[in-house]
């Protein structure tokens, strides 16, 4: 099922390139920027962030929605700057790693049932000049236990020179919640004014109802469906300014007033 789904999406992307905008060079380049979170088991979760010169890997354990993490903050470039992380869960804490190849491990953070926001930046050694900031949000599983289903998560990354796609897109983003996937791809074709073209698809890997939305989009780009198995549905092509927000939701077929389980992902513009 997984392989078939990937091939269907790839074929659809190739078929859609005739209507996709042809990109100009992204300014600034997003190469080296990425973010992700994923439940890798019933009680385990990993969060990652990357910008050129800095990396965060946070490994966590989820006990019925109460989560604890160990952070690994790495400075990966010898440029006289530091890697900086702002971690917001039960409280907000700040952490640094300075020196090429230096990794600082952070333990003892308080357990939290809250949603998590992680920010990764480059910073001066004086800790007073944060630049190149990347961010990711992880929803609480305490308020929605379905979130901690193995395989649920969200990820995105800018493509580098070794990756070739017929559509010429600058980056890709993927959300998985239950049997619903929202895949969306961006062209930073008017980066100088903060505008990005978006093409997206809603996929179903099993019986479910689901929806996908590109937020703050012009024109509106949203789609929902209920299906025993529908491989792929295309959302309207659209444009956004600045951060590219996507939301995917899943809910049960045929249940009266079923709860919706939603995941939101933001793709920031490099700075």
């Amino acid at each position: 099922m997984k392989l078939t789904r990937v091939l269907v999406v790839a074929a659809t992307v190739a078929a859609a390139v005739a209507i996709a905008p042809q990109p100009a060079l992204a300014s600034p380049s997003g190469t080296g920027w990425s973010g992700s979170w994923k439940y890798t088991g019933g009680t385990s979760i990993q969060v990652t962030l990357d910008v050129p010169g800095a990396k965060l890997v946070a490994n966590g354990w989820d006990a019925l929605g109460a989560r604890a993490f160990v952070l690994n903050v790495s400075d990966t470039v010898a440029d006289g700057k530091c890697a900086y992380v702002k971690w917001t869960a039960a409280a907000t804490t700040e952490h640094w790693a300075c020196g090429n190849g230096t990794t600082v491990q952070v333990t003892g953070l308080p357990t939290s049932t809250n949603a998590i926001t992680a920010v990764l930046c480059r910073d001066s050694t004086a800790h007073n000049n944060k630049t190149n900031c990347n961010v990711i949000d992880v929803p609480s599983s305490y308020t929605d236990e379905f979130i901690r289903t193995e395989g649920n998560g969200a990820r995105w990354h800018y493509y580098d020179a070794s990756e070739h796609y017929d559509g010429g897109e600058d980056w890709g983003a993927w959300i998985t919640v239950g049997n619903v996937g929202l895949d969306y791809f961006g062209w930073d074709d008017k980066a100088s004014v903060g505008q990005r073209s978006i093409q997206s698809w809603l996929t179903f890997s099993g019986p479910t109802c689901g929806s996908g939305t590109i937020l703050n989009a012009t024109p509106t780009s949203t789609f929902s469906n209920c299906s025993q198995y529908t491989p792929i549905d295309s959302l309207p092509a659209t444009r956004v300014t600045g951060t590219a927000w996507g939301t995917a939701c899943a809910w049960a077929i045929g249940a009266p007033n079923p709860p919706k389980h939603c995941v939101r992902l933001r793709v920031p513009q490099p700075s």
Side-chain angles (χ1 to χ4, degrees), residues 239-254:
R239 184 178 292 280
V240 298
T241 300
T243 298
W245 288 93
T247 296
C249 299
W251 61 97
I253 293 179

Side-chain angles (χ1 to χ4, degrees), residues 142-178:
Y142 185 77
T143 54
D144 183 0
E145 65 181 21
F146 187 80
I147 293 296
R148 55 180 183 268
T149 301
E150 183 175 354
N152 279 356
R155 62 185 177 91
W156 69 272
H157 76 274
Y158 265 84
Y159 301 136
D160 61 31
S162 68
E163 296 174 289
H164 173 71
Y165 295 87
D166 290 338
E169 59 267 29
D170 295 305
W171 51 266
W174 301 266
I175 301 174
T176 301
V177 53

